[in-house]
Amino acid sequence: MARVTANTIDIEKAAGVLRAGGLVALPTETVYGLGANAEDPAAVARIFQVKGRPPSHPLIVHIGGAEQLDGWVQDVPRAARLLAEHFWPGPLTLVLRRGPRVPLEATGGLETVAVRVPGHPVALALLAAFGGGVTAPSANRFGQVSPTTAEDVRAELGDAVDFVLDGGPCEVGVESTIVDVTGEVPSILRPGGVTREDLEAVLGAPLAVPATSPVRVPGQHPSHYAPRARVVLVEPDQVVAEAELARERGHHVGVFLPPAFPGATVEAHAVVRVPASMPAYARGLYGFLRRLDEQGCDLIVASLPVEEGLGLAIANRLRRAAGPRPTV
């Protein structure tokens, strides 16, 4: 697998790989995606195979603009058009009724489809060159830490990807917000790069954030976004004590030191000082988790941020990272 940069030649080559049924890792503003031709069931099936992703877990279809929705979806309500107008291109995914262009293989057998317009110039250039929709979950093994650089993709998937477009580090760093607009009241099924507060300001009404939903969407598995190290969540003022206790018990401990304790010291194998800025924290979150894995930590002690703005998405990812792991 050749190392590439995202120039015009590379984009045209990547589009050709998609047309031929291959897989392309592409940058978005959120994380790197593992892309395939959304209308090619065999190519879509290969995504599931490479990721080790259960076929019942739906994928997000990426398109080049809201004007391309016809055929991919049906019955676009006013709320969906309003959100698309304000947040596309960008880290917002809308769940709508499936249109005829979307194979059931991409939706996990559902009659709904998740669709978005990515806010990255390389992704948009690839979609324009390809001329169709691209299914693109995160370019990593199922349930593990999402990649935010091309190097992460290569380390995770190697030659299982036919082509990698290197668009630099992702600016947002956590996945898109998923909003279900198929019901009477829009609801957030996964918090992400567009905040609840911004969505509500546009809609002029509160959004539900249900604990569970009959609509399956990416990122709902109990254990997700997880490093190799086990993640333990405690209150911010308990992080240092919990980390030192784990160290005494023989763990190689990694610590997410909360910004409320800038001068604190902790005896640990590796320490990440969490940024006070939530955008900076979101941008660095997956890189922090990967770094602690690379440094040989077997346990990570962290706390949740205040669940406002991007803090809601960060807390969601940390809870999933700390979720119960499947038994082998």
Side-chain angles (χ1 to χ4, degrees):
M1 180 177 59
R3 183 182 180 88
V4 301
T5 56
N7 55 39
T8 301
I9 294 174
D10 294 326
I11 288 168
E12 291 294 341
K13 183 173 180 180
V17 170
L18 291 173
R19 293 188 196 102
L23 300 184
V24 172
L26 64 146
T28 77
E29 77 282 22
T30 57
V31 300
Y32 273 71
L34 182 61
N37 179 354
E39 296 179 87
D40 183 342
V44 171
R46 191 172 161 214
I47 287 179
F48 289 94
Q49 178 186 8
V50 167
K51 283 180 62 72
R53 183 186 182 100
S56 61
H57 285 238
L59 306 177
I60 294 173
V61 175
H62 295 67
I63 59 175
E67 71 281 358
Q68 299 176 14
L69 278 171
D70 289 346
W72 296 107
V73 303
Q74 302 180 59
D75 301 334
V76 182
R78 179 181 177 278
R81 295 197 183 277
L82 192 60
L83 292 174
E85 177 184 342
H86 279 80
F87 297 110
W88 282 357
L92 174 68
T93 294
L94 298 176
V95 175
L96 294 153
R97 289 185 59 202
R98 181 179 71 93
R101 296 184 69 175
V102 184
L104 287 171
E105 287 83 355
T107 68
L110 300 176
E111 288 300 331
T112 55
V113 61
V115 61
R116 87 175 183 103
V117 179
H120 194 293
V122 174
L124 291 172
L126 175 59
L127 287 164
F130 174 57
V134 173
T135 49
S138 56
N140 56 281
R141 304 293 179 187
F142 179 70
Q144 298 182 10
V145 180
S146 301
T148 54
T149 68
E151 289 74 18
D152 292 343
V153 177
R154 296 183 184 102
E156 179 95 10
L157 298 180
D159 291 337
V161 184
D162 299 309
F163 201 70
V164 175
L165 281 173
D166 189 342
C170 299
E171 293 184 1
V172 176
V174 293
E175 292 80 1
S176 60
T177 303
I178 300 179
V179 177
D180 178 13
V181 286
T182 61
E184 292 185 7
V185 179
S187 59
I188 297 176
L189 303 186
R190 180 182 72 183
V194 175
T195 68
R196 177 181 186 176
E197 294 85 349
D198 286 344
L199 292 166
E200 290 178 342
V202 168
L203 292 176
L207 278 170
V209 186
T212 60
S213 168
V215 179
R216 296 193 307 271
V217 294
Q220 290 183 317
H221 198 268
S223 175
H224 219 90
Y225 318 110
R228 293 189 298 274
R230 186 166 63 90
V231 177
V232 174
L233 299 176
V234 298
E235 293 298 319
D237 61 357
Q238 297 173 2
V239 167
V240 171
E242 182 70 22
E244 292 183 344
L245 179 61
R247 178 176 174 271
E248 291 171 3
R249 291 173 174 169
H251 287 286
H252 286 80
V253 184
V255 180
F256 274 26
L257 197 61
F261 304 94
T265 59
V266 55
E267 292 293 326
H269 187 70
V271 177
V272 169
R273 293 188 178 274
V274 173
S277 159
M278 288 298 100
Y281 191 4
R283 190 161 48 247
L285 174 62
Y286 292 146
F288 298 153
L289 293 172
R290 286 180 179 273
R291 185 194 312 164
L292 295 184
D293 266 348
E294 291 165 359
Q295 292 177 336
C297 297
D298 62 8
L299 186 144
I300 297 171
V301 179
S303 62
L304 299 179
V306 175
E307 297 185 47
E308 299 173 352
L310 279 173
L312 181 64
I314 295 167
N316 171 270
R317 302 313 188 268
L318 287 171
R319 284 197 182 95
R320 300 287 181 179
R325 311 259 175 118
T327 56
V328 179

